Amino acid sequence: MVDIQSAPDTRNIPLTKVGVKGLEYPIQVLDRVNKIQQTSCRADLSANLPHHFKGTHMSRFVEIFHRHRKDLSMPRFLEMLKEISVELNAESAYGELSFPYFLEKNAPVSGLAGMMSYRCRYQGRVRGTDRHFTVSVSVPVTTVCPCSRAISDRGAHNQRGVVTVELELGPFFWIEDMIDLVEKSASSPVYSILKREDEKFITETAYDNPKFVEDVVRDVYIKIDALKCFPRFSVEAENFESIHNHSAFARAEGGWGSNLKADR
Amino acid sequence: MVDIQSAPDTRNIPLTKVGVKGLEYPIQVLDRVNKIQQTSCRADLSANLPHHFKGTHMSRFVEIFHRHRKDLSMPRFLEMLKEISVELNAESAYGELSFPYFLEKNAPVSGLAGMMSYRCRYQGRVRGTDRHFTVSVSVPVTTVCPCSRAISDRGAHNQRGVVTVELELGPFFWIEDMIDLVEKSASSPVYSILKREDEKFITETAYDNPKFVEDVVRDVYIKIDALKCFPRFSVEAENFESIHNHSAFARAEGGWGSNLKADR
Amino acid sequence: MVDIQSAPDTRNIPLTKVGVKGLEYPIQVLDRVNKIQQTSCRADLSANLPHHFKGTHMSRFVEIFHRHRKDLSMPRFLEMLKEISVELNAESAYGELSFPYFLEKNAPVSGLAGMMSYRCRYQGRVRGTDRHFTVSVSVPVTTVCPCSRAISDRGAHNQRGVVTVELELGPFFWIEDMIDLVEKSASSPVYSILKREDEKFITETAYDNPKFVEDVVRDVYIKIDALKCFPRFSVEAENFESIHNHSAFARAEGGWGSNLKADR
Amino acid sequence: MVDIQSAPDTRNIPLTKVGVKGLEYPIQVLDRVNKIQQTSCRADLSANLPHHFKGTHMSRFVEIFHRHRKDLSMPRFLEMLKEISVELNAESAYGELSFPYFLEKNAPVSGLAGMMSYRCRYQGRVRGTDRHFTVSVSVPVTTVCPCSRAISDRGAHNQRGVVTVELELGPFFWIEDMIDLVEKSASSPVYSILKREDEKFITETAYDNPKFVEDVVRDVYIKIDALKCFPRFSVEAENFESIHNHSAFARAEGGWGSNLKADR
């Protein structure tokens, strides 16, 4: 059977990435409490294609991913990309995984347990011995507006927001710790189950702790920066404003040992 | 050229609907202030197919819609469906349009003008002389939680919500009036542009006017019911809870002259 | 602490549904091969609210769902709704779950295994002894256009489509069997991993088996109807047309013992 | 009234971006045939925030955008960003607009006219005298698989795809020309209305012109490169594979005068 993909190409145009996109798959990742967490992902997998080849062999991406689906811890994800680059005879391999990560979380006063879902994303690149890997975690929170609280005789507008931290690794870290760090930087965490005693606690705690998106970003930034272990990172906070039909957002970028701070 | 669609079919299965889905099109609808509003829609158009035909002629739906795109006022929408049923020789024709409707709205104190977007939907069915037409309008609002306000020593959690009213016509009505009716039933409307004096006003107004989703639904219901002109309607309110990562919602169904009230 | 939700309400408007929406949760459902499948869902849970109550207690929906999350087989789902109606002292309880269901599937010639994801949905209602439960399954397929094949000298346009079957239960059935029934009714199933020998097989098989959306719906309908066990069902096929930027779709509704066939 | 946003901040963390996100607005852009096209967008607008300020004044973004909404041609978009940077006393201002752009397009044989929707995006940054502006256009097309055609005795799988071109300006260009360039690089364009004679034409044309995503990207690349006017650009093609439930994609990056070609 002819192999059209392997035919020579004379257009002289190398492709940065060729691969598969939007693959929905059940996967297993590490979980601090339960050791393994079963979840499901959307995966994009690709490799570069030198100018002299007409096409890539798309089925191999899925074959390799299928073999690794039951152990997609952070270090193993990069090994899978390495395998892709070797099997496809490519210089670079790229991967992106997006999945919900679930944690059981207790209400602050009643202690009732409910499951929370946090959106996570792995992004990796392997190029010879060069490896690049970022993990991002999105954490829903609640924020009380400091301006509204200061200028109003009573009440203060507040809303759900989401804080997304993207970290270039660096050492292994637990997603659980990053979620905890973010939740402590907002006006209050959010929960799946709250009784009235919890609702009172959160309302008052958040009112006593008003934060702009700018504040949330800076407070998360300070804590990540203090860990001194991520070469680069970004923090973005988006508020689904309760008084508008659009969002407010803020973003900062940093990194340990980077020259980004020189901008200050 | 053979016409496969018109070939006879012996499976003896009539199809409720056959047609096109997800057609993105620029359209014009009525606007009280500017007479005409240009917007864009997603359209689904279909007709029934009797058991003895193999297929429908999909291109005709788009041809007819194309001719009517510059006048899709409520009454004209039904005329378009009638035309579909005639040209396709079908007993029933169905249509659904979803589009953003834009209004200029002034901030409550500063008077600054900004544009607001409201999601609207037409749903129609023509079957012989029987016509059925519903219009739905989704209005973003802000709601302050009455429970949180009552049990907390300070503050009260609040959030953006969206109220969707679906009305079976009935007489012509202005979308503008329905939006106004809904906005007056929430803790406060939301706006695109707010200065500090507006933010203070909205924060205090909303705090003084706490509402559950249940309250919003009932207050909108009462006002629509009082109009005594919609044979059937539903009201649904969804709050993007600021203390959870999920929504709270409530829904009621009514209608003038309907027997729905007998349930009480 | 005051219980605002339990306060009396004098507006005299009963609410059809009050509850939570968009709850993301890890769940377990039945799996024929592996007995249990871990997946994750979006859940909407609600109950009616009589006219004389001001509000419902939203946290109870999540508490009850949390207890049942590890056994959401079809019969247990209705028991959970019953529990909701009892604990909330409501006449009716409603639930809707949407989740991906994963199956390992072998390529038709090479036999290589890959995972496929099928979108499923439970919808249930419990009202006294009355129970209503529908399951829907969405199956991606490929379809070759019979018209394009008949009128063209070479080739035929084809595309991915999705077939959604919604079944009112009726006896227990395996989701696996319904997927198989649908895949056999299209021009060809789709797969996650295909080698060239598989691609040749699928291309030729599909070309030899051209189907309109109308044909797919009718062929699935006939097979479900022949099972004589679902009181009501619907079949909908949508093609992401390769020659348009919109979809073509068809829909039929039937049911064993129903009077729907009288329309013929 | 206190101005919390203008309060000093001692955390010493500058923010890259602070602003509004997801603003839905009616806008006017240039149209070659009709001079002006009314459409609607989602807008994100932001500016940097120096480390010594606590917050930005979010309402100003919307005020400025509101004033410019009726003339958002490419050059005016950058002027608006300049105005944002001046009014907010910021070094950098950023903007992103996403909107559908509609064109009337005639079927290739019958000549029937239908509207097509193309997703466009402006991304701009103004920093002192430095200006950066990219425009991206997404064009739906159809592609026939060369491998499937070569190895199969009859037929060839094909599908809808979307080609996204992102161009750093460079001189003004017409979106219409870029759409035309892309449509001529696929197996065939797609249309809103097609009669049987058109369907036959497209089926045969596409079958005679099979293209991988890799081919589409390279053929678009060659044509853009030949224009010698865009400092940087990227081309990405994604196929909604008819034989899989995931996509295949390819991407290349180039630019006139850039050193990207050195990689070859």
Side-chain angles (χ1 to χ4, degrees):
Chain A
M1 218 178 285
V2 297
D3 183 353
I4 300 275
Q5 282 89 344
S6 298
D9 199 285
T10 60
R11 282 167 290 193
N12 198 28
I13 300 166
L15 299 177
T16 328
K17 293 184 179 181
V18 182
V20 296
K21 208 168 191 163
L23 188 70
E24 291 180 45
Y25 241 75
I27 58 167
Q28 293 186 357
V29 294
L30 287 185
D31 178 310
R32 186 159 58 183
V33 173
N34 306 301
K35 291 204 174 131
I36 279 179
Q37 177 165 152
Q38 295 203 359
T39 182
S40 54
C41 72
R42 268 180 80 88
D44 299 350
L45 301 166
S46 61
N48 76 304
L49 186 72
H51 68 85
H52 52 276
F53 285 124
K54 184 168 172 64
T56 198
H57 292 86
M58 300 276 181
S59 61
R60 296 190 195 164
F61 294 102
V62 189
E63 278 183 87
I64 296 168
F65 189 66
H66 186 74
R67 286 203 298 269
H68 286 77
R69 73 189 188 280
K70 292 195 176 165
D71 183 3
L72 286 168
S73 60
M74 299 181 193
R76 299 285 295 170
F77 181 70
L78 281 180
E79 288 177 36
M80 183 202 63
L81 293 183
K82 183 70 195 168
E83 205 172 312
I84 285 177
S85 72
V86 171
E87 287 205 26
L88 283 165
N89 207 11
E91 291 144 20
S92 306
Y94 305 87
E96 185 171 329
L97 284 196
S98 169
F99 58 91
Y101 186 76
F102 294 99
L103 287 183
E104 195 168 67
K105 191 172 158 189
N106 297 98
V109 180
S110 71
L112 278 174
M115 301 301 296
M116 285 288 296
S117 166
Y118 303 90
R119 180 63 45 183
C120 294
R121 197 179 57 167
Y122 289 177
Q123 264 189 305
R125 185 189 70 219
V126 168
R127 185 174 201 159
T129 57
D130 170 46
R131 273 122 204 271
H132 183 268
F133 190 29
T134 62
V135 174
S136 83
V137 189
S138 292
V139 182
V141 298
T142 188
T143 57
V144 169
C145 177
C147 171
S148 170
R149 199 189 92 152
I151 64 180
S152 304
D153 293 337
R154 51 201 177 278
H157 83 79
N158 52 74
Q159 54 270 315
R160 196 193 305 161
V162 63
V163 181
T164 299
V165 170
E166 185 166 349
L167 305 159
E168 183 178 323
L169 303 192
F172 173 83
F173 74 96
W174 286 104
I175 291 173
E176 288 83 344
D177 288 332
M178 198 51 61
I179 291 169
D180 189 54
L181 181 159
V182 170
E183 291 186 337
K184 286 185 173 139
S185 305
S187 294
S188 168
V190 300
Y191 299 84
S192 291
I193 304 181
L194 294 171
K195 290 299 185 183
R196 260 174 300 153
E197 57 267 37
D198 302 308
E199 189 171 352
K200 174 181 167 64
F201 177 84
I202 290 175
T203 302
E204 295 172 357
T205 303
Y207 186 82
D208 293 343
N209 193 24
K211 298 222 176 178
F212 288 127
V213 279
E214 293 95 325
D215 294 314
V216 176
V217 166
R218 280 167 166 154
D219 291 347
V220 170
Y221 185 106
I222 285 170
K223 289 173 192 164
I224 295 178
D225 199 44
L227 297 174
K228 303 188 179 183
C229 61
F230 298 107
R232 272 174 183 274
F233 63 87
S234 67
V235 183
E236 189 161 325
E238 178 176 358
N239 267 359
F240 310 120
E241 295 286 294
S242 64
I243 59 173
H244 295 299
N245 197 29
H246 58 259
S247 293
F249 82 105
R251 176 181 175 87
E253 288 155 19
W256 187 249
S258 80
N259 58 357
L260 293 172
K261 293 200 172 187
D263 289 344
R264 298 182 193 175
Chain B
M1 217 178 284
V2 296
D3 183 355
I4 299 273
Q5 282 89 345
S6 299
D9 199 286
T10 59
R11 283 167 289 191
N12 198 30
I13 300 166
L15 299 177
T16 327
K17 295 184 177 181
V18 182
V20 296
K21 208 167 193 165
L23 189 68
E24 290 180 47
Y25 241 75
I27 58 168
Q28 293 186 357
V29 295
L30 286 184
D31 178 308
R32 186 157 61 183
V33 173
N34 306 301
K35 292 205 174 129
I36 279 179
Q37 177 165 152
Q38 294 202 0
T39 183
S40 55
C41 73
R42 269 181 79 89
D44 299 350
L45 301 165
S46 60
N48 76 303
L49 185 73
H51 68 85
H52 52 277
F53 286 124
K54 183 167 172 66
T56 198
H57 292 87
M58 299 277 182
S59 61
R60 296 191 194 162
F61 294 102
V62 189
E63 279 183 86
I64 296 168
F65 189 67
H66 186 74
R67 288 204 298 269
H68 285 78
R69 72 189 188 281
K70 293 195 176 165
D71 183 3
L72 285 168
S73 61
M74 298 181 195
R76 300 284 296 170
F77 181 71
L78 281 180
E79 288 177 37
M80 183 203 62
L81 292 184
K82 183 69 196 167
E83 206 172 312
I84 285 176
S85 72
V86 170
E87 287 206 26
L88 282 166
N89 208 12
E91 289 145 20
S92 306
Y94 305 86
E96 186 171 329
L97 284 195
S98 169
F99 57 91
Y101 186 76
F102 295 100
L103 286 184
E104 196 169 66
K105 190 171 158 189
N106 297 97
V109 180
S110 69
L112 279 175
M115 301 301 295
M116 284 287 296
S117 167
Y118 303 90
R119 180 62 43 181
C120 294
R121 197 179 57 166
Y122 289 176
Q123 264 188 305
R125 185 189 69 220
V126 168
R127 184 174 201 160
T129 57
D130 171 47
R131 273 123 203 271
H132 184 267
F133 190 28
T134 62
V135 174
S136 83
V137 189
S138 292
V139 182
V141 297
T142 188
T143 56
V144 169
C145 177
C147 170
S148 169
R149 199 189 93 154
I151 63 179
S152 304
D153 293 336
R154 52 203 176 276
H157 83 79
N158 53 74
Q159 53 269 317
R160 197 192 303 160
V162 63
V163 181
T164 300
V165 171
E166 185 166 348
L167 305 159
E168 183 178 323
L169 304 192
F172 174 83
F173 74 98
W174 287 103
I175 290 173
E176 289 83 346
D177 289 331
M178 198 52 61
I179 291 169
D180 189 54
L181 182 158
V182 170
E183 291 186 337
K184 287 185 173 138
S185 306
S187 294
S188 169
V190 300
Y191 299 84
S192 291
I193 305 181
L194 293 172
K195 291 298 186 183
R196 260 173 302 153
E197 56 267 36
D198 303 308
E199 189 172 352
K200 173 181 166 64
F201 177 83
I202 289 176
T203 303
E204 294 172 358
T205 303
Y207 186 81
D208 294 343
N209 194 23
K211 297 223 176 178
F212 289 127
V213 279
E214 293 94 325
D215 293 315
V216 176
V217 166
R218 280 168 166 153
D219 291 347
V220 170
Y221 185 106
I222 285 171
K223 289 173 191 163
I224 295 178
D225 199 46
L227 297 173
K228 301 188 180 183
C229 62
F230 298 107
R232 272 173 183 274
F233 63 87
S234 68
V235 183
E236 190 161 325
E238 179 176 357
N239 268 359
F240 310 120
E241 297 285 295
S242 64
I243 58 173
H244 295 299
N245 198 28
H246 59 259
S247 292
F249 82 106
R251 177 182 174 86
E253 289 156 18
W256 187 248
S258 79
N259 57 358
L260 293 173
K261 295 199 169 188
D263 289 345
R264 296 182 193 175
Chain C
M1 218 177 285
V2 295
D3 182 354
I4 298 274
Q5 283 88 344
S6 299
D9 198 285
T10 60
R11 284 167 289 192
N12 198 30
I13 300 167
L15 299 177
T16 328
K17 293 184 179 181
V18 182
V20 296
K21 210 168 191 164
L23 189 68
E24 291 180 46
Y25 241 76
I27 58 168
Q28 294 186 355
V29 294
L30 286 185
D31 178 309
R32 187 159 57 183
V33 172
N34 306 301
K35 293 205 171 128
I36 279 179
Q37 176 165 150
Q38 295 203 2
T39 181
S40 55
C41 73
R42 268 181 80 88
D44 298 351
L45 301 166
S46 60
N48 76 304
L49 186 72
H51 69 86
H52 52 276
F53 285 125
K54 183 170 172 63
T56 197
H57 292 86
M58 299 277 182
S59 61
R60 295 189 195 164
F61 294 102
V62 189
E63 279 183 87
I64 296 168
F65 188 67
H66 186 75
R67 287 203 299 267
H68 286 77
R69 74 189 188 280
K70 293 196 176 166
D71 182 3
L72 284 168
S73 59
M74 299 181 193
R76 298 286 295 172
F77 181 71
L78 282 179
E79 287 177 37
M80 182 202 63
L81 294 183
K82 183 68 195 169
E83 204 171 314
I84 285 176
S85 72
V86 170
E87 287 206 25
L88 282 166
N89 207 12
E91 289 144 21
S92 306
Y94 305 86
E96 186 171 329
L97 284 197
S98 168
F99 57 91
Y101 186 75
F102 294 100
L103 285 184
E104 196 170 64
K105 191 172 158 189
N106 297 98
V109 180
S110 69
L112 278 175
M115 301 301 295
M116 286 287 296
S117 165
Y118 302 91
R119 180 62 44 183
C120 295
R121 197 180 57 166
Y122 290 176
Q123 262 189 307
R125 186 188 69 221
V126 167
R127 185 175 200 160
T129 57
D130 170 47
R131 272 123 204 269
H132 183 269
F133 190 28
T134 63
V135 174
S136 83
V137 189
S138 291
V139 182
V141 297
T142 188
T143 57
V144 169
C145 177
C147 171
S148 169
R149 202 191 89 153
I151 64 180
S152 305
D153 293 336
R154 52 203 177 278
H157 84 78
N158 53 72
Q159 54 269 317
R160 196 193 305 161
V162 64
V163 181
T164 300
V165 170
E166 185 166 348
L167 306 158
E168 184 180 324
L169 303 192
F172 174 83
F173 73 97
W174 286 104
I175 289 173
E176 288 84 344
D177 288 332
M178 198 52 60
I179 291 169
D180 189 53
L181 181 159
V182 170
E183 291 186 337
K184 287 185 172 140
S185 307
S187 294
S188 169
V190 300
Y191 298 84
S192 291
I193 304 180
L194 293 172
K195 291 299 185 183
R196 261 174 300 152
E197 58 267 36
D198 303 309
E199 189 171 353
K200 175 180 165 62
F201 176 84
I202 289 176
T203 302
E204 295 173 357
T205 302
Y207 187 81
D208 294 343
N209 193 23
K211 299 222 176 181
F212 288 128
V213 279
E214 293 95 325
D215 293 315
V216 176
V217 166
R218 281 168 166 153
D219 291 348
V220 170
Y221 185 105
I222 285 172
K223 289 173 193 165
I224 295 178
D225 200 44
L227 296 173
K228 302 187 179 183
C229 62
F230 297 107
R232 274 173 179 274
F233 63 88
S234 67
V235 184
E236 191 161 322
E238 179 176 356
N239 268 359
F240 310 120
E241 296 286 295
S242 64
I243 59 174
H244 295 299
N245 198 28
H246 59 260
S247 294
F249 81 106
R251 177 181 174 86
E253 287 156 18
W256 187 248
S258 80
N259 57 356
L260 294 172
K261 295 200 169 188
D263 289 346
R264 297 182 192 173
Chain D
M1 217 177 285
V2 298
D3 183 354
I4 299 274
Q5 282 87 345
S6 299
D9 198 286
T10 59
R11 283 167 289 192
N12 198 29
I13 300 167
L15 298 178
T16 328
K17 294 183 177 181
V18 182
V20 296
K21 207 168 195 166
L23 189 68
E24 292 180 44
Y25 241 75
I27 59 168
Q28 293 186 357
V29 295
L30 287 185
D31 178 309
R32 187 158 59 182
V33 173
N34 306 299
K35 293 205 172 127
I36 279 178
Q37 177 164 153
Q38 294 202 0
T39 182
S40 55
C41 73
R42 268 181 80 89
D44 298 351
L45 302 165
S46 61
N48 76 304
L49 186 73
H51 69 86
H52 51 278
F53 284 125
K54 182 168 172 65
T56 197
H57 292 87
M58 300 276 181
S59 62
R60 295 188 195 166
F61 294 101
V62 188
E63 278 184 87
I64 295 168
F65 188 68
H66 186 75
R67 287 202 300 269
H68 285 79
R69 73 188 187 283
K70 293 194 176 168
D71 183 2
L72 285 168
S73 60
M74 298 181 194
R76 299 286 294 172
F77 181 71
L78 282 180
E79 288 178 37
M80 182 201 65
L81 293 183
K82 183 70 195 169
E83 206 172 311
I84 285 176
S85 73
V86 170
E87 286 206 25
L88 282 166
N89 207 13
E91 291 144 19
S92 306
Y94 305 86
E96 185 171 329
L97 284 196
S98 167
F99 57 90
Y101 186 74
F102 294 100
L103 286 184
E104 197 170 64
K105 189 172 160 190
N106 297 98
V109 180
S110 69
L112 279 175
M115 302 301 295
M116 285 286 297
S117 167
Y118 302 92
R119 180 63 44 182
C120 294
R121 197 180 57 166
Y122 290 176
Q123 264 189 304
R125 185 189 69 220
V126 167
R127 185 174 202 161
T129 58
D130 169 47
R131 272 123 204 270
H132 183 268
F133 190 28
T134 62
V135 174
S136 83
V137 189
S138 292
V139 182
V141 297
T142 188
T143 56
V144 169
C145 177
C147 171
S148 169
R149 201 189 90 153
I151 62 180
S152 304
D153 293 335
R154 52 202 177 278
H157 82 80
N158 53 75
Q159 53 270 317
R160 195 191 306 158
V162 64
V163 181
T164 299
V165 171
E166 185 164 348
L167 305 158
E168 184 178 322
L169 303 192
F172 174 82
F173 74 98
W174 287 105
I175 290 173
E176 289 83 345
D177 289 332
M178 198 49 63
I179 291 169
D180 190 53
L181 181 158
V182 170
E183 291 185 338
K184 287 185 173 138
S185 306
S187 295
S188 169
V190 301
Y191 298 85
S192 290
I193 305 181
L194 294 171
K195 290 299 185 184
R196 261 174 300 154
E197 58 267 37
D198 302 310
E199 190 172 350
K200 174 181 165 64
F201 177 84
I202 290 176
T203 302
E204 295 171 359
T205 303
Y207 186 81
D208 294 343
N209 194 23
K211 298 222 176 178
F212 288 127
V213 279
E214 291 95 325
D215 293 315
V216 176
V217 166
R218 281 169 166 153
D219 291 349
V220 170
Y221 185 106
I222 285 171
K223 289 173 192 164
I224 295 179
D225 199 45
L227 297 173
K228 301 187 180 184
C229 63
F230 297 107
R232 272 173 183 273
F233 64 88
S234 67
V235 184
E236 189 161 324
E238 178 176 357
N239 268 359
F240 310 120
E241 297 285 295
S242 64
I243 58 173
H244 295 299
N245 198 29
H246 58 260
S247 292
F249 82 105
R251 177 182 174 86
E253 287 156 18
W256 187 247
S258 80
N259 57 358
L260 293 174
K261 294 200 173 188
D263 289 343
R264 297 182 194 175

